[in-house]
Amino acid sequence: MDWAKRLAVGVIGCAAMFAAAHGQSTIGQERSSLLGSETDPAFVRGSRKAGVYTNQMREERPASEGGPYKGEELGSRQGEAQAGQASNETGQAGGQVNPSTALPSTSLRGSRAGAPTFYRDVLAVVEEHCQVCHRAGGIAPMAFQTYAETRAYAGAIAEAVRSRRMPPWFAERGIGQFANDPSLSDAQIALLAAWAAAGAPAGNAAEAPAPKKWAERWTIPAPDLELKMPAAVELPATGDVDYTYEIVPTHFTEDRWVQASEILPGLPEHVHHAVVYVRPPDSTWLRHAPVGRPFTAATLADPQDQRDAMWTTSDILLVYAPGSTPDSWPAGMAKRIPAGADLVFQMHYTTNGKAGGDATRIGLIFAKQKPAKRVLTLQLTNDHFVIPPGAPDYRVEVHGTLPNDALLLNFFPHMHLRGKRFEYNILHADGTVETLLRVNYHFHWQMSYRLAEPLALKAGTELQAVAWFDNSAANPHNPDPTAAVRWGEQTYDEMMVGFFDVAVDARVDKPKFFERTHALAPTH
């Protein structure tokens, strides 16, 4: 595939609005990223059956089973971007048009007596649901912080919220409740529509709520500590870029527990994904690699280090992808960074016709005291599939059992350009399927879905992840509907990864969690 074609189908640098603001999209590769090795050989079974998605829970068992997959945790660890299209069933419209980038409305009618006003009614809704992106320094190309800024887009805002394209949220309604769901209520949608229809009146500025305070580009509160890649990674204007790593020492003299974290790329339009790993001081992983400067597997002289650049059992601190949300854990839960640990930044860069230099950073907010629960990021992954040419609803699944009791907190599904839908289920012993999350996948919004209440799971609970892929010509993102598509490095290949976060006893690390010390009792 030539560069121009890859650019046309490539990855948006930082969500659809960012791309629209910059008038460009990016290209890049999906290289097999760091995998772990704790999988029980009997754990992962991949089905490679094509199927038709019917909006109903599928209660059938896997049609075929592949061999054991050597990956981390409940499958493997693979963090990149996401793919797909929105669907009306999520409460989002199916098209890719982003009304927040539309031209300012020219059809606003005159103000009506008693109509909603900006300062009294609208600003509070915008602050709570829109400004996370639509603010100075946010990823959106326009801010909605002042009356003048917001009024210019009043008509577009009304249309976007009525169609539920904004705020972006792709979980299917009626399945699960999620703490980070930004969706507006029917009353809020009606309010914004009425405000636009009345001519977007300002009202009395004295009635405005207190302005929401933002910490620079951060969406979390001001971090207790920022750690930045010491040396910028110089990026070419064109071509593929190998996965790039940079080791950043923490210099911690004691264990630290991270309550919240956020990754901020220096050049978000070039960052397809970033994964920050925790390397304990006694770890041999990448021990011959340079510290404080970028490297790739190809630049490492030691053969073991070259292999290590593609495989690790280290804890994941945070995954970033365009549209993803920062981590923020409930009280009493946090991720651990041991004293003397390093952070290893894994960066997947894409090119967009313009050279640049990126120095990504991570912001950390620490728990005030040692928590009762430790958060671990795990995943279900299937890398043994072949999507036939032209298949509009190809079904791929993976499932396995939890080795020990855990609290389920969060989901983060991942596919590429042909990704269509993704689902997490519990497979009960009586053959029934309990769906926890169904996402109508959107390529430009790589979102996580945090349960409103943690779900207690017993050892032996069988979890399933199911993905549907659209390899037909009807998929506008599809680079080649005539190709048979496999797991691979490039964005025009595919991946199937179901990340999820669990909380366990704070004394339990990941290796201990995967010691199957409990009988695998059936779920009830």
Side-chain angles (χ1 to χ4, degrees):
M1 179 181 293
D2 61 33
W3 178 84
K5 185 175 182 182
R6 281 183 288 165
L7 181 61
V9 299
V11 178
I12 298 299
C14 190
M17 292 185 295
F18 188 96
H22 290 76
Q24 60 193 20
S25 59
T26 58
I27 64 171
Q29 62 180 14
E30 291 289 354
R31 186 170 186 161
S32 294
S33 66
L34 300 171
L35 305 176
S37 61
E38 273 100 52
T39 301
D40 182 328
F43 184 81
V44 177
R45 302 188 294 279
S47 171
R48 297 179 283 283
K49 177 183 177 183
V52 177
Y53 185 86
T54 63
N55 254 355
Q56 302 298 319
M57 292 188 298
R58 298 187 66 142
E59 298 187 0
E60 61 188 63
R61 290 300 193 175
S64 61
E65 296 185 0
Y69 177 73
K70 295 181 180 178
E72 177 188 11
E73 297 110 19
L74 304 183
S76 72
R77 209 287 325 147
Q78 185 76 40
E80 332 292 328
Q82 297 165 299
Q85 298 173 250
S87 166
N88 289 328
E89 294 155 315
T90 64
Q92 313 292 327
Q96 296 294 319
V97 176
N98 185 346
S100 68
T101 62
L103 293 175
S105 173
T106 58
S107 61
L108 298 180
R109 290 172 284 187
S111 177
R112 299 174 183 170
T117 68
F118 176 76
Y119 292 112
R120 185 188 63 216
D121 306 298
V122 170
L123 182 54
V125 177
V126 171
E127 284 184 345
E128 184 65 25
H129 294 271
C130 307
Q131 286 184 5
V132 64
C133 297
H134 290 271
R135 59 184 169 90
I139 66 169
M142 75 288 289
F144 294 156
Q145 291 175 289
T146 69
Y147 170 66
E149 291 168 341
T150 312
R151 186 196 184 282
Y153 290 90
I157 291 170
E159 194 279 330
V161 300
R162 274 195 299 257
S163 64
R164 293 193 179 273
R165 287 198 292 268
M166 288 288 156
W169 185 251
F170 305 102
E172 186 168 315
R173 288 182 161 192
I175 300 176
Q177 293 184 336
F178 300 93
N180 61 329
D181 182 354
S183 302
L184 299 180
S185 67
D186 292 342
Q188 290 169 325
I189 292 171
L191 183 148
L192 294 175
W195 178 65
N204 184 354
E207 296 180 304
K212 197 173 182 72
K213 295 183 183 294
W214 300 97
E216 195 191 0
R217 285 174 57 202
W218 304 104
T219 57
I220 60 173
D224 296 325
L225 177 67
E226 296 182 26
L227 292 171
K228 185 177 182 180
M229 292 162 50
V233 178
E234 296 303 319
L235 302 170
T238 61
D240 293 333
V241 180
D242 285 347
Y243 273 30
T244 304
Y245 302 84
E246 195 157 334
I247 299 172
V248 181
T250 64
H251 304 296
F252 290 166
T253 58
E254 61 181 2
D255 293 356
R256 304 302 301 267
W257 291 89
V258 179
Q259 188 85 51
S261 59
E262 183 174 5
I263 293 172
L264 285 186
L267 290 179
E269 63 270 29
H270 282 276
V271 178
H272 182 274
H273 86 261
V275 184
V276 176
Y277 294 91
V278 178
R279 185 175 74 171
D282 58 351
S283 171
T284 60
W285 179 46
L286 294 173
R287 275 302 165 189
H288 304 102
V291 175
R293 60 185 176 88
F295 62 91
T296 66
T299 63
L300 297 174
D302 185 82
Q304 183 58 49
D305 283 341
Q306 291 177 357
R307 290 189 291 271
D308 284 350
M310 306 305 298
W311 188 283
T312 187
T313 60
S314 296
D315 282 344
I316 296 172
L317 182 57
L318 184 61
V319 178
Y320 163 89
S324 61
T325 50
D327 277 354
S328 182
W329 305 114
M333 301 180 188
K335 287 192 170 183
R336 177 176 173 263
I337 302 178
D342 299 321
L343 299 186
V344 180
F345 285 64
Q346 180 207 69
M347 306 298 301
H348 178 183
Y349 293 112
T350 61
T351 56
N352 61 8
K354 183 179 179 181
D358 173 76
T360 290
R361 53 185 165 147
I362 187 169
L364 307 175
I365 296 176
F366 299 116
K368 305 307 180 188
Q369 58 188 15
K370 181 178 178 178
K373 297 289 185 181
R374 177 176 182 167
V375 178
L376 302 174
T377 298
L378 313 176
Q379 68 280 328
L380 290 154
T381 293
N382 186 336
D383 70 342
H384 293 82
F385 57 83
V386 180
I387 306 171
D393 282 286
Y394 190 78
R395 186 178 189 271
V396 176
E397 73 166 55
V398 60
H399 49 115
T401 53
L402 279 178
N404 284 292
D405 295 354
L407 288 175
L408 181 62
L409 304 177
N410 188 62
F411 305 102
F412 181 31
H414 162 61
M415 296 183 284
H416 289 184
L417 292 167
R418 296 169 177 87
K420 186 174 184 178
R421 296 180 178 90
F422 204 101
E423 184 173 290
Y424 293 82
N425 301 310
I426 295 175
L427 303 182
H428 290 287
D430 63 3
T432 60
V433 178
E434 179 184 354
T435 300
L436 304 175
L437 171 70
R438 183 177 295 146
V439 173
N440 290 284
Y441 211 59
H442 197 300
F443 178 68
H444 301 314
W445 291 100
Q446 302 167 37
M447 306 185 77
S448 60
Y449 300 85
R450 189 165 304 130
L451 290 170
E453 295 292 338
L455 179 63
L457 300 177
K458 292 293 187 182
T461 298
E462 187 169 11
L463 295 176
Q464 178 195 49
V466 187
W468 285 265
F469 296 89
D470 183 357
N471 194 23
S472 72
N475 177 0
H477 300 298
N478 194 347
D480 185 3
T482 67
V485 184
R486 295 169 172 81
W487 174 286
E489 299 177 348
Q490 309 293 338
T491 53
Y492 38 84
D493 297 320
E494 269 303 335
M495 289 187 179
M496 187 279 193
V497 185
F499 288 105
F500 61 100
D501 297 293
V502 298
V504 299
D505 188 287
R507 297 167 295 181
V508 175
D509 60 13
K510 191 164 64 178
K512 188 172 182 62
F513 179 72
F514 280 93
E515 294 175 5
R516 293 179 180 265
T517 56
H518 302 287
L520 297 181
T523 59
H524 299 286

